[in-house]
Amino acid sequence: MKAKRPGSAAAQAAEAIAADVAAGQALELLEVTMRKEPQGRTLCLTIDKPGGVSLDDCERFHRAVQPLLEAVEYDYLEVSSPGADRPIETGRDVEKHRNERVEVRLYAPLDGAKRYEGRLLSMDDESVTLGLPDGGEKAFPRKAVALVKPVIEFMENEPE
């Protein structure tokens, strides 16, 4: 499975520092990227924890990691959570979303469709397997899969 790796030397240096800070705060560092933007280079750190990340978690992590990143060249520091509909790409993501409802999008139609929904049963370098609503299973070759992401379901409030 694809693992997110920082591309630049600055991002790699930041990753080592940020991972230690994250571990000290019971957070997981998911991704470190460096983006070139018109106003300068933005170092982006994505963190997570069981139950999700709050704004307070992001602020606490930002305040702890920023002073330690003095040797890293960047103009802006961004700390964020992965978001509820973040694509499922890593083994950790698969374990987190196993048996949950997901959407699979394909590069080209398979059996007449490019989009499928079902319960995520498994995903590795070779295939993605869904449990279908009719009780069956459907496996997709990994090279045919463009995207796997959680399906977000909103509950409607009952009128009072």
Side-chain angles (χ1 to χ4, degrees), residues 22-70:
Q25 294 186 3
L27 299 168
E28 181 180 359
L29 181 66
L30 295 181
E31 187 173 35
V32 178
T33 58
M34 185 73 74
R35 291 192 319 244
K36 292 181 183 175
E37 298 178 345
Q39 70 271 21
R41 293 183 314 178
T42 301
L43 176 60
C44 306
L45 307 175
T46 304
I47 56 173
D48 199 9
K49 71 176 185 182
V53 175
S54 69
L55 185 57
D56 288 340
D57 293 323
C58 290
E59 181 181 1
R60 187 172 27 263
F61 179 76
H62 186 284
R63 288 179 189 268
V65 77
Q66 185 177 25
L68 302 175
L69 293 172
E70 289 179 6

Side-chain angles (χ1 to χ4, degrees), residues 76-149:
Y76 300 95
L77 178 60
E78 175 184 293
V79 174
S80 65
S81 67
D85 65 345
R86 179 177 191 260
I88 298 169
E89 297 176 333
T90 67
R92 180 197 169 283
D93 295 339
V94 172
E95 290 309 312
K96 181 177 177 182
H97 295 287
R98 189 176 306 279
N99 289 315
E100 291 182 7
R101 196 165 146 214
V102 298
E103 173 184 341
V104 171
R105 291 187 194 167
L106 306 174
Y107 291 111
L110 179 67
D111 298 331
K114 285 180 69 175
R115 182 182 170 280
Y116 289 85
E117 281 190 21
R119 288 179 304 106
L120 179 62
L121 299 179
S122 67
M123 181 172 145
D124 57 30
D125 290 335
E126 301 300 317
S127 66
V128 176
T129 304
L130 295 184
L132 301 175
D134 65 7
E137 293 182 6
K138 185 153 187 81
F140 304 91
R142 189 69 177 99
K143 63 184 177 191
V145 175
L147 177 73
V148 179
K149 69 177 194 168

